[in-house]
């Protein structure tokens, strides 16, 4: 249950960061949600997978904003 709360917090956090950077918050929140769901299927460590999905989304957003 706590992991689902962390997924929601990660999605909301990334959407806020994206909106602050003048990007689509809905899109980046959705990408975060997809990465969290995929990481739940692939990574066995409960809280590490949410952290990795959030960091991966943030890095992806930074890389795409450079171009």
């Amino acid at each position: 249950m706590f992991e689902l709360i962390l997924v929601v917090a990660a999605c909301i956090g990334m959407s806020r960061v994206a909106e602050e950077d003048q990007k689509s918050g809905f899109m980046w929140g959705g990408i975060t949600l997809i990465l969290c769901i995929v990481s739940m299927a692939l990574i066995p460590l409960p809280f590490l997978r949410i952290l990795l999905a959030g960091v991966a989304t943030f890095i992806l957003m930074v890389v795409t904003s450079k171009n």
Side-chain angles (χ1 to χ4, degrees):
M1 184 68 188
F2 188 66
E3 191 174 11
L4 294 176
I5 294 170
L6 288 176
V7 169
V8 171
C11 292
I12 291 172
M14 275 309 298
S15 68
R16 299 274 172 110
V17 168
E19 287 176 356
E20 192 67 32
D21 201 24
Q22 306 299 323
K23 295 185 176 16
S24 172
F26 184 73
M27 181 184 76
W28 286 104
I31 290 172
T32 306
L33 180 64
I34 290 169
L35 283 177
C36 286
I37 291 171
V38 167
S39 70
M40 283 180 172
L42 298 177
I43 301 173
L45 300 172
F47 299 114
L48 181 65
R49 55 186 164 203
I50 305 304
L51 176 69
L52 289 175
V55 169
T57 307
F58 184 76
I59 290 172
L60 181 65
M61 187 174 69
V62 169
V63 168
T64 58
S65 68
K66 295 278 183 182
N67 295 331

